Amino acid sequence: MNIEPSETSAPSQTLATSSTSSESGGVAVPAYRLRRILILIAAFAAPLVGYGQMALGVGMTPQEFSAQGDETLRVAPFAFTIWAVIYTWLFAYAVYQALPATTENESLRRLGWPSFYALAGIGAWVVASAADWEWATVIIIFASLFALLIPLVQNAKLFRSDSIRRRALIAWPLALLAGWLTVASLVNLLTVLTSQEMIVRGAGPLWALGAVALAALAALFVTARTRLWTYPVPIAWGLIGVFFAGRTDGNDLVAFAALGAAAVIVVGVTLIFARKDRG
C-alpha cells in the first residue's frame, strides 16, 4: 500500500533541499515556490492565449494554419474537444501543486519544470501558428512533447510509488497532455512538410501510414514502460479522429489503418495492464 505523507506536514529534509540562499526577514525562501507559481500562470495562460487569439482575430487560426497542408494527414475537428479534458485536468494539477498545503516531493520536482516548459509551449505554438511560422511550430511542439515524455519515462518507478491521489493530480494529467502532443506533433510535421511541398506527390499515404504506425508504437512502448494509462488514451482518440477524417476525404487506406492502430492500442494496453495485475 502506498502511504502519502500528510499534506499539511512540513518535510524538513525535502524543503531543505529545495531552498535558496535568498532571505526575506531572515527566513529562507523555498526555491520551489517560484516554480509552482510559474506553472500555475502557464496553465491558465495556455488556453487564454489560444482562445484570445481566435477571439481577437490576430493572425491565422489553428484551423487555417492546418488547412495549408492537411492533405497528407488530417484529424477530424471533433477530436480536438479532448482539449477540454486536458485543460481541466491540467488546471487541477496546477492548482494542486501551487497549494501551500501540498508537500514538495520527488514527483513534483522531476515533473515541475518540464510541465512548465510544455505548458508554455502550448501558448508559444499558438503564436507561431498565428504568424504562420511553420517550422517554428514543429520545433515548439516536439520540444514540448519531449520535455514531458522523457521525465515521464525516466521516472516511471517513482510515479508508481506515489499514492493514487498524487498520481491523479500529477503524473496522469501530464501523461494525458504528452499523449495528445504525440499525435499532434506528427500531424503538425506532416502538415508543414506538405505545405512546403517536401512530400513527393503520390507519397502522401506512405507518410501518413508511417505516422499512424509511429503513434501506435509510441503508445504501446511508453505505456509498457510507465504504466500511465492516460498516455495512450488521447493517441487512440486522435487516431479515431484520423479515421473519420480519412473517410470524409475518401482516403480509406489511411482511415482504416488509423482505426486498426487505435484497436491495437486498446488491445495492447489492456494486455499490458492485465500482465501487471497477474504479476
Side-chain angles (χ1 to χ4, degrees), residues 73-145:
L73 187 64
R74 189 172 70 87
V75 180
F78 77 83
F80 293 93
T81 58
I82 196 174
W83 273 114
V85 178
I86 294 174
Y87 279 138
T88 300
W89 215 339
L90 288 175
F91 292 158
Y93 156 70
V95 171
Y96 169 74
Q97 60 87 43
L99 292 174
T102 300
T103 57
E104 180 73 354
N105 74 342
E106 278 300 314
S107 294
L108 285 173
R109 282 201 293 272
R110 300 290 179 87
L111 288 175
W113 284 116
S115 69
F116 169 73
Y117 301 142
L119 289 167
I122 295 173
W125 186 92
V126 171
V127 173
S129 64
D132 200 21
W133 298 335
E134 294 188 333
W135 287 110
T137 65
V138 174
I139 294 171
I140 290 168
I141 199 168
F142 273 99
S144 300
L145 167 62

Side-chain angles (χ1 to χ4, degrees), residues 43-230:
F44 283 88
L48 288 177
V49 171
Y51 293 123
Q53 180 264 334
M54 289 188 289
L56 296 174
V58 178
M60 303 178 68
T61 66
Q63 293 79 10
E64 291 170 340
F65 174 81
S66 299
Q68 297 179 110
D70 63 359
E71 304 96 305
T72 301
L73 187 64
R74 189 172 70 87
V75 180
F78 77 83
F80 293 93
T81 58
I82 196 174
W83 273 114
V85 178
I86 294 174
Y87 279 138
T88 300
W89 215 339
L90 288 175
F91 292 158
Y93 156 70
V95 171
Y96 169 74
Q97 60 87 43
L99 292 174
T102 300
T103 57
E104 180 73 354
N105 74 342
E106 278 300 314
S107 294
L108 285 173
R109 282 201 293 272
R110 300 290 179 87
L111 288 175
W113 284 116
S115 69
F116 169 73
Y117 301 142
L119 289 167
I122 295 173
W125 186 92
V126 171
V127 173
S129 64
D132 200 21
W133 298 335
E134 294 188 333
W135 287 110
T137 65
V138 174
I139 294 171
I140 290 168
I141 199 168
F142 273 99
S144 300
L145 167 62
F146 288 118
L148 275 182
L149 200 55
I150 291 173
L152 283 170
V153 172
Q154 288 179 337
N155 301 288
K157 290 184 179 179
L158 172 64
F159 307 139
R160 289 201 292 273
S161 68
D162 280 340
S163 67
I164 293 292
R165 180 167 180 257
R166 278 195 181 272
R167 270 179 282 170
L169 289 168
I170 302 174
W172 288 355
L174 296 178
L176 183 72
L177 175 60
W180 182 252
L181 289 177
T182 299
V183 174
S185 61
L186 293 171
V187 174
N188 194 158
L189 175 60
L190 293 192
T191 296
V192 172
L193 289 175
T194 304
S195 176
Q196 296 285 324
E197 299 182 350
M198 298 179 68
I199 293 179
V200 178
R201 184 177 297 276
L206 294 177
W207 283 84
L209 292 173
V212 166
L214 187 57
L217 288 174
L220 296 176
F221 173 77
V222 173
T223 304
R225 289 291 301 272
T226 65
R227 298 296 198 275
L228 293 171
W229 66 272
T230 54

Side-chain angles (χ1 to χ4, degrees), residues 216 220 235-237 239-240 256-270:
L220 296 176
I235 297 178
W237 175 254
L239 290 173
I240 291 172
F256 284 103
L259 184 62
V264 167
I265 291 173
V266 172
V267 173
V269 169
T270 300

